Amino acid sequence: MLDIKGIGCGLLLALASYFYIRSRRHPGSNMKVMVSMEEFKGQPRLPKFAVPKRYDIRLKPNLTTCKFTGSVAIVLKIVADTSFIVLNAAELSIDTTSVLKPLKVDVVEEDEILVLNFANTLPIGLGLLTIHFQGSLNDKMKGFYLSTYEHNGEKKNMAVTQFKPDDARRCFPCWDEPTCKATFKITLDIPSQLVALSNMPIIEEKVDGDLKTVSYQESPIMSTYLVAIVVGLFDYVEHLTFDGVKVRVYCQVGKVNQGKFALDVVVRTLELYKEYFAVPYSLPKLDMVAIPDFAFGSMENYGLVTYCETTLLYDVQHSTAAEKQRVVIVVAHELAHQWFGNLVTMEWWTHLWLNEGFATWVSYLAADHLFPEWKVWTQFLDEYTKGLEMDGLRESHPIEVKINHASEIDEIIDSISYIKGASVIQMLQSYLGADCFQRSLASYVKKFACSNAKTEDLWAALEEGSGEPVNKLMNSWTKQKGYPVVSVKVKDQKLVFEQSQFLASGTHGDGQWIVPITLCCGSYDACKNFLLQKNSETLDMKELMSDESNLASAWVKLNVDQTGFYRVEYDEDLEARLRNAIENKYLSATDRFGILDDSFALCMARQKSFTSFFTLLNAYKEELEYTVLSNLIKMSYKVERITADAAPESPVDIKFFFISLFLHSAMKLGWEPKPGESHLDAMLRGEVLTALAVFGHNMTLEEASRRFLAFLDDRNTPLLHPDIRKAVYVAVMRTVSTSNRFGYESLLRVYRETNLSQEKARILSSLTSSPDPNITLEALNFLLSSEVRTQDAVLGLAVSREGRETAWTWLKDNWEHISNTWGSGYLITHFINSIVSPFASLEKAEEIQEFFASRTNSKIARTLKQSTERVHINAYWVQSFRTEVQYELARAFMEIVQTCVIQ
């Protein structure tokens, strides 16, 4: 018996297994190949002298003891002389008894590999390796793990898998790398009253008393991270596609109506993707399952997609417009993976962005097709901005990151891989044209179906289909971090362009890009496209406008519709022209968004003054477009925090400025939905009212209190529509203090009484909004209680400005518990980023670095560096504001603020 110490849990697991190799012999098979076990340690990849072709897996989970037993029979192809077999295994114990016993079995815990050393050279050809094992259903939401739910008032367990990126090895020994594709035949032994799901349809179910054996069809070849198993008590709704694919949405018993919207989205999206990729969905069924405990928003397992409840279920009465939209985007994202990721799989995790960047981009394509009135491509700019924000850090990373070890993967599951990846795809599609891009993409999918691909393979397909130098163009975007800021000025009726690397710190990097420039001059009919391949370029404005009399006053907008992943800095003259164009409503919502977002980023990087930024803001006082206002609200929170840190005794409270700015839209929207109003207005109402509550607008706080009291009396009151509940909950918490706890205790009661995951999420994200640090501490401690699911704790980390220091002390005091509970996955990064990043002093940055000096590991190292860099950026921004207020700009700045308040 060999005991393997559990790597993630620190448990000793008992396990049994045997090895059996069966193959034809060949000349020289008795010749020992002299390779040391030590050579396999510390390697980024498994050796390739043995290749898995087929897995036959049998598992028996015990939901009472939280253990499982199993066996796996792996058909191998020995392709090179070796006396070793090396595969992945983690948190499993293995019995070494076998028909043909290895000389030695070595478990390398730090590398999560199992090394089998045989006496003789293994014969070239096919063989069979059989292993029996046992393990524990863990509570880490990775590998084969336990989730809990309630049925008829009784707490129940379910068994769930989450193998991406590298956790199949925690369920069964395997070659746990994307390139090692094989077929999978799965059999489960489970309690007879439960539902058991896997990637493929059931072919046989045998009941034997309290147990049943469920066998599934053999899968097509796929990577181990896509294998999936779910065992529990479920209800479902189903539909057949035109191609006869059976689609089901599974959820807890009693919630089946909440799965109907997602079911409709799935069926319609499968039809769209079949046409777009020119390849039909490749499996006979597709199941979607809502899991109560789930670390990620969703997971694209082949034929069995798993979701947390908030991203799959939609309640007509109690879900918001934003939550409805999120269901569409997330479902479309995971369905895109059935082609781009599952059918065609990345060669290695270095190319993770190929999966995630593309799925992110195409999810918006699908949502726009299904719900064009939602204007999701305009809303995509909200994601695009997150990518720009992270990639403006010196501690960013390229889209393509060389992954040397599986432990590094979690740190690149971030805005760069997903959102910058999607943004550069959008930029490339815009440059090549939609039709050409689609045709080339379909060719790529067809060529690499059932195999693996690299980034260069996609570029080659697009280059062949378009005739454009795609590889040369895109390498500057995927192989180096960062992006350019393109400055433009007018000189002698010519536009002068210059590019340099943008850094949020205000310094300049040395990157250079091939930038697809798009611009309009005075009208969207006067456009020009070109590639900026050098540091500078000049363009005669006469090429853009036939009427030369307007050259001196015509507005110029670069990066039309924000399809390029870069920022633009205009000189004072061009900026003044754009302000006029915004005020006169000449520009599209996407371009108004871009001008504002670039100005804010340049201000934050101290390349533009506060005065200049607030002068531009004045042009947005009548803005009603959701995406533009939503971004403006996010900016307002940052500006208020920075100005409060810089000048706490300022004679003009910046909150009044933002209240006046948002009151216009709040009065237009009102508190209740209007007949026939748009989806976007429904989403905007809640965000605007939340902002007014945060900034302390008395009338908003009073009305919110009135509606909340009505809601406490009647949970179905029309006075508290789901779209405004978050705003009301925040407003309630802004009035809570140690001496006035009613609102806090009432929200906790609502949290405990509801069974709707989305409602619980709304409450958790509001509880830390109180200005009273004592209440903030109590709310943070509640996040760590057993009443909050592990993945939901991160929802309450965005504390009020007044609670920042309390949150930091709380993080330090609870770090050991937090690290032990969340440290094995990506959720740990939320604790650091949310609590550390809002600070704005160099002293605090030093304190943070000192605390984590002895507590850093590979899973948090990059996040910690990025978060402390943000603290430095905030600190320099505070200093810049103080300097500006100290000198002549102060007077002009105050006049702008006071003028806006009066208006």
Side-chain angles (χ1 to χ4, degrees):
M1 179 73 69
L2 176 69
D3 288 331
I4 301 178
K5 187 174 183 180
I7 297 167
C9 300
L11 302 174
L12 283 173
L13 308 178
L15 220 150
S17 118
Y18 69 89
F19 300 91
Y20 177 48
I21 297 290
R22 180 181 64 208
S23 179
R24 60 179 177 81
R25 302 184 67 81
H26 77 296
S29 63
N30 292 322
M31 186 177 295
K32 182 78 171 67
V33 178
M34 299 305 293
V35 178
S36 167
M37 279 193 182
E38 294 299 316
E39 294 183 24
F40 305 122
K41 298 180 180 180
Q43 298 300 313
R45 308 280 289 269
L46 293 172
K48 295 298 185 287
F49 36 62
V51 181
K53 307 303 288 184
R54 180 182 187 272
Y55 291 84
D56 192 335
I57 302 167
R58 184 161 188 161
L59 295 170
K60 183 179 181 180
N62 188 316
L63 300 182
T64 302
T65 64
C66 303
K67 303 286 186 181
F68 66 91
T69 59
S71 65
V72 59
I74 310 170
V75 175
L76 296 178
K77 186 175 183 180
I78 307 297
V79 296
D81 285 346
T82 181
S83 59
F84 290 88
I85 291 178
V86 184
L87 67 163
N88 294 113
E91 301 176 17
L92 300 173
S93 302
I94 298 175
D95 178 3
T96 58
T97 60
S98 64
V99 176
L100 179 61
K101 188 174 182 179
L103 286 176
K104 186 179 180 183
V105 176
D106 195 12
V107 177
V108 186
E109 294 180 6
E110 60 271 25
D111 294 320
E112 300 180 346
I113 60 173
L114 178 64
V115 183
L116 313 178
N117 184 193
F118 293 91
N120 298 314
T121 301
L122 301 173
I124 300 293
L126 294 178
L128 185 69
L129 171 66
T130 301
I131 306 174
H132 288 250
F133 50 90
Q134 297 175 357
S136 290
L137 297 170
N138 67 72
D139 60 356
K140 305 295 183 183
M141 296 184 289
K142 61 191 291 185
F144 202 11
Y145 74 91
L146 205 67
S147 178
T148 62
Y149 61 101
E150 279 195 8
H151 179 61
N152 293 333
E154 183 181 354
K155 186 176 179 180
K156 299 280 189 179
N157 291 334
M158 69 171 68
V160 185
T161 58
Q162 169 60 41
F163 291 161
K164 186 179 181 181
D166 60 339
D167 292 311
R169 65 192 69 180
R170 285 171 171 76
C171 183
F172 57 94
C174 58
W175 277 255
D176 204 8
E177 296 183 356
T179 50
C180 298
K181 286 190 167 187
T183 61
F184 292 82
K185 178 74 174 66
I186 294 176
T187 303
L188 301 176
D189 296 308
I190 65 163
S192 57
Q193 76 276 16
L194 298 183
V195 174
L197 305 171
S198 189
N199 305 84
M200 299 298 288
I202 296 172
I203 55 174
E204 185 179 44
E205 195 169 296
K206 292 182 179 179
V207 179
D208 182 10
D210 292 336
L211 291 176
K212 64 180 176 182
T213 299
V214 185
S215 301
Y216 301 86
Q217 286 182 25
E218 187 166 335
S219 75
I221 65 167
M222 61 182 181
S223 303
T224 49
Y225 78 87
L226 296 170
V227 176
I229 294 161
V230 177
V231 179
L233 196 61
F234 296 101
D235 204 347
Y236 66 85
V237 286
E238 72 175 10
H239 199 288
L240 282 177
T241 68
F242 292 121
D243 292 336
V245 176
K246 182 180 288 186
V247 179
R248 287 179 174 178
V249 173
Y250 285 86
C251 54
Q252 291 182 49
V253 175
K255 294 187 176 183
V256 69
N257 286 334
Q258 297 176 31
K260 291 180 178 178
F261 176 68
L263 179 67
D264 178 65
V265 171
V266 174
V267 172
R268 294 166 65 192
T269 303
L270 286 177
E271 293 298 325
L272 171 67
Y273 287 168
K274 179 182 70 173
E275 180 180 342
Y276 190 81
F277 296 118
V279 174
Y281 174 69
S282 54
L283 299 187
K285 65 94 175 175
L286 177 60
D287 293 331
M288 322 274 281
V289 191
I291 306 297
D293 299 282
F294 199 74
F296 295 88
S298 50
M299 173 59 205
E300 67 268 20
N301 313 301
Y302 217 170
L304 178 57
V305 185
T306 45
Y307 299 81
C308 65
E309 290 190 333
T310 56
T311 57
L312 184 65
L313 305 183
Y314 172 74
D315 187 293
V316 176
Q317 283 189 306
H318 298 288
S319 298
T320 66
E323 288 160 352
K324 182 178 185 179
Q325 180 174 301
R326 189 182 183 209
V327 168
V328 174
I329 296 290
V330 174
V331 167
H333 180 108
E334 301 309 333
L335 294 191
H337 277 310
Q338 304 303 305
W339 284 263
F340 224 91
N342 299 5
L343 187 63
V344 180
T345 310
M346 63 199 165
E347 187 272 338
W348 178 239
W349 298 107
T350 294
H351 309 282
L352 173 70
W353 87 276
L354 264 185
N355 279 18
E356 301 302 347
F358 183 81
T360 300
W361 177 79
V362 85
S363 68
Y364 280 81
L365 182 84
D368 185 58
H369 176 83
L370 298 179
F371 301 97
E373 69 278 11
W374 290 0
K375 301 180 183 177
V376 294
W377 279 122
T378 303
Q379 293 187 64
F380 177 73
L381 295 178
D382 184 51
E383 299 296 313
Y384 160 93
T385 297
K386 293 174 187 174
L388 287 171
E389 190 275 332
M390 178 172 278
D391 209 28
L393 299 176
R394 194 172 287 279
E395 290 294 341
S396 180
H397 62 81
I399 286 178
E400 280 193 25
V401 180
K402 185 177 181 181
I403 297 297
N404 294 311
H405 198 278
S407 63
E408 302 170 6
I409 299 168
D410 278 344
E411 280 232 292
I412 64 165
I413 300 178
D414 61 10
S415 295
I416 301 301
S417 298
Y418 283 70
I419 299 170
K420 183 181 179 181
S423 298
V424 299
I425 288 170
Q426 168 78 338
M427 180 171 66
L428 181 59
Q429 191 240 26
S430 178
Y431 177 72
L432 297 179
D435 292 341
C436 173
F437 186 83
Q438 180 183 356
R439 287 194 306 272
S440 302
L441 201 62
S443 174
Y444 165 85
V445 170
K446 183 177 180 180
K447 180 177 180 179
F448 291 97
C450 302
S451 61
N452 298 81
K454 300 179 181 180
T455 300
E456 291 76 14
D457 297 319
L458 177 59
W459 296 159
L462 292 167
E463 196 163 295
E464 181 180 349
S466 67
E468 296 284 346
V470 174
N471 192 63
K472 178 183 177 182
L473 168 65
M474 296 308 294
N475 278 347
S476 69
W477 296 96
T478 61
K479 295 188 181 298
Q480 66 176 333
K481 66 183 177 182
Y483 57 87
V485 53
V486 177
S487 63
V488 56
K489 62 183 178 181
V490 178
K491 185 177 182 181
D492 300 327
Q493 295 190 341
K494 292 182 179 179
L495 294 174
V496 180
F497 306 91
E498 293 183 355
Q499 68 156 300
S500 60
Q501 183 175 352
F502 175 84
L503 288 170
S505 61
T507 59
H508 287 286
D510 55 4
Q512 184 173 334
W513 289 262
I514 300 176
V515 188
I517 298 291
T518 57
L519 70 135
C520 290
C521 188
S523 164
Y524 284 105
D525 294 327
C527 297
K528 175 78 173 179
N529 302 340
F530 68 94
L531 291 178
L532 178 61
Q533 303 192 55
K534 299 180 295 183
N535 283 334
S536 62
E537 194 82 44
T538 301
L539 180 67
D540 194 331
M541 291 183 70
K542 295 175 184 177
E543 295 181 25
L544 292 166
M545 298 189 68
S546 56
D547 185 357
E548 295 185 19
S549 63
N550 292 327
L551 288 178
S553 60
W555 55 266
V556 175
K557 172 64 175 68
L558 268 67
N559 198 10
V560 179
D561 287 332
Q562 300 304 112
T563 56
F565 195 77
Y566 57 92
R567 296 200 181 278
V568 181
E569 181 178 13
Y570 300 92
D571 67 10
E572 289 186 10
D573 176 32
L574 291 176
E575 189 173 83
R577 299 187 201 183
L578 285 171
R579 283 200 306 271
N580 181 67
I582 293 167
E583 290 169 347
N584 287 282
K585 300 178 173 55
Y586 295 151
L587 300 180
S588 68
T590 51
D591 285 330
R592 297 197 305 275
F593 178 104
I595 292 165
L596 179 64
D597 196 64
D598 288 345
S599 178
F600 177 73
L602 290 164
C603 178
M604 195 170 182
R606 295 167 291 127
Q607 305 301 306
K608 183 185 290 290
S609 70
F610 270 89
T611 305
S612 175
F613 174 65
F614 273 87
T615 301
L616 176 64
L617 278 187
N618 203 28
Y620 289 82
K621 60 182 179 289
E622 295 183 2
E623 183 63 61
L624 291 173
E625 181 69 33
Y626 167 75
T627 305
V628 182
L629 262 179
S630 178
N631 197 35
L632 180 50
I633 288 168
K634 294 182 183 72
M635 292 175 187
S636 71
Y637 295 148
K638 294 181 183 178
V639 170
E640 188 274 334
R641 188 181 68 236
I642 290 297
T643 54
D645 285 341
E649 305 302 324
S650 172
V652 176
D653 193 332
I654 202 70
K655 292 179 181 178
F656 294 135
F657 167 72
F658 287 119
I659 287 171
S660 70
L661 194 62
F662 300 138
L663 270 177
H664 174 72
S665 55
M667 293 175 68
K668 290 272 188 183
L669 293 166
W671 282 84
E672 296 176 6
K674 297 177 174 61
E677 75 175 2
S678 73
H679 170 80
L680 297 174
D681 280 350
M683 293 200 299
L684 180 59
R685 178 179 293 107
E687 292 196 28
V688 169
L689 291 174
T690 300
L692 291 174
V694 169
F695 292 132
H697 183 241
N698 286 331
M699 291 178 63
T700 300
L701 295 176
E702 291 168 4
E703 181 62 15
S705 177
R706 184 181 76 84
R707 290 172 180 266
F708 183 63
L709 291 174
F711 175 70
L712 292 179
D713 289 337
D714 176 10
R715 300 298 163 82
N716 294 312
T717 177
L719 288 177
L720 201 59
H721 190 277
D723 288 323
I724 64 168
R725 283 187 196 172
K726 171 69 181 292
V728 168
Y729 296 164
V730 169
V732 166
M733 288 305 303
R734 291 301 294 171
T735 65
V736 166
S737 64
T738 306
S739 60
N740 177 23
R741 298 173 51 84
F742 174 77
Y744 175 69
E745 291 172 351
S746 297
L747 277 175
L748 286 181
R749 187 168 73 252
V750 175
Y751 177 90
R752 288 163 177 148
E753 291 174 357
T754 185
N755 69 347
L756 186 69
S757 298
Q758 293 164 341
E759 179 75 346
K760 287 182 180 290
R762 281 194 286 273
I763 295 170
L764 289 176
S765 64
S766 306
L767 286 179
T768 52
S769 302
S770 171
D772 187 324
N774 293 320
I775 298 296
T776 298
L777 178 60
E778 195 170 334
L780 288 169
N781 286 333
F782 179 71
L783 297 178
L784 302 183
S785 73
S786 59
E787 293 189 69
V788 178
R789 291 189 184 274
T790 305
Q791 80 271 8
D792 291 341
V794 299
L795 299 174
L797 298 176
V799 303
S800 64
R801 181 176 60 82
E802 300 90 342
R804 285 180 302 180
E805 197 63 49
T806 298
W808 168 235
T809 302
W810 172 84
L811 182 69
K812 291 186 292 182
D813 290 346
N814 292 279
W815 180 252
E816 184 176 356
H817 170 70
I818 290 168
S819 182
N820 289 338
T821 304
W822 289 273
S824 64
Y826 88 105
L827 288 175
I828 188 72
T829 63
H830 287 266
F831 284 88
I832 297 171
N833 183 46
S834 297
I835 292 176
V836 168
S837 296
F839 284 109
S841 76
L842 299 179
E843 294 78 14
K844 184 60 68 175
E846 185 175 345
E847 179 187 336
I848 291 163
Q849 289 172 323
E850 287 177 2
F851 175 78
F852 281 108
S854 60
R855 297 172 174 87
T856 301
N857 58 50
S858 62
K859 288 187 179 296
I860 66 170
R862 191 190 301 274
T863 299
L864 183 60
K865 289 178 181 178
Q866 291 171 344
S867 297
T868 51
E869 182 180 353
R870 289 186 178 102
V871 176
H872 281 97
I873 291 166
N874 291 340
Y876 295 139
W877 204 19
V878 165
Q879 292 174 3
S880 176
F881 181 83
R882 287 173 179 162
T883 302
E884 192 171 343
V885 169
Q886 185 177 353
Y887 296 105
E888 287 300 318
L889 287 174
R891 189 180 302 109
F893 170 72
M894 293 305 176
E895 287 176 0
I896 291 168
V897 173
Q898 289 170 339
T899 300
C900 292
V901 169
I902 292 169
Q903 291 175 341

